[in-house]
Amino acid sequence: MGYKMNLQDIGLFKIAGQQLNWLSARQAVLAQNIANVNTPEYLPKDLDKLDFSRVLKANNKVLTSSLSTSNSSHLGSSSRGVSLIKTHPMHIGIPSSSFGGYVVHSVKPSYETSLDGNGVIVEEEIAKMDSTRSNYDLVASIYQKNIGLINLALGNNN
């Protein structure tokens, strides 16, 4: 009878998993920006940065207090994501569930917008996507190498 180890019980794997989830959600937000490159008055969006110290604290203690809302329009503790409001009928809606509960914010265009008010600069979005992909590859590699170290320690040559 063997012991089954859950990798998500190990802090390193839990943190790496959260980082991978955030990077996946960010990639989806950036792809949505590129998809809206021709939408009038659309401003690009991005996720708030993942606060590493907050992730560490969340993994080191169990939350004992329950969250409650004081107003029915507030996001509840069971809410997964943010509520986005279409301010223009031409905007494409963004399903909040696809961004894993991370906070999405509009990004002010750095220096140029199109004549119709669209602030998406495709080159900037592609550069952000490439950086996000590189970070994803790095975290995935760290994850895989640590699995290899565990297998080596256990005598598994898989």
Side-chain angles (χ1 to χ4, degrees), residues 11 27 57 64 69 76 78 82 86 91 96 124-125 132 137:
Q27 200 75 320
K57 287 177 188 174
T64 56
T69 57
S78 63
V82 296
K86 285 176 125 179
H91 289 172
S96 61
E124 285 182 11
E125 299 303 311
T132 302
D137 290 346

Side-chain angles (χ1 to χ4, degrees), residues 17-72:
Q18 289 175 336
Q19 180 71 18
L20 291 171
N21 288 338
W22 182 85
L23 290 165
S24 294
R26 183 173 194 229
Q27 200 75 320
V29 170
L30 297 173
Q32 191 73 41
N33 290 342
I34 292 175
N36 281 292
V37 71
N38 292 322
T39 303
E41 298 182 30
Y42 180 86
L43 292 178
K45 309 217 179 335
D46 204 346
L47 295 184
D48 284 352
K49 291 188 184 277
L50 193 58
D51 184 0
F52 187 69
S53 64
R54 194 170 61 195
V55 169
L56 283 177
K57 287 177 188 174
N59 285 310
N60 287 330
K61 63 182 174 179
V62 178
L63 297 175
T64 56
S65 62
S66 62
L67 299 174
S68 62
T69 57
S70 58
N71 185 316
S72 62

Side-chain angles (χ1 to χ4, degrees), residues 71-92:
N71 185 316
S72 62
S73 64
H74 292 165
L75 293 174
S77 61
S78 63
S79 176
R80 301 293 297 165
V82 296
S83 297
L84 299 177
I85 300 170
K86 285 176 125 179
T87 58
H88 190 277
M90 295 296 291
H91 289 172
I92 297 173

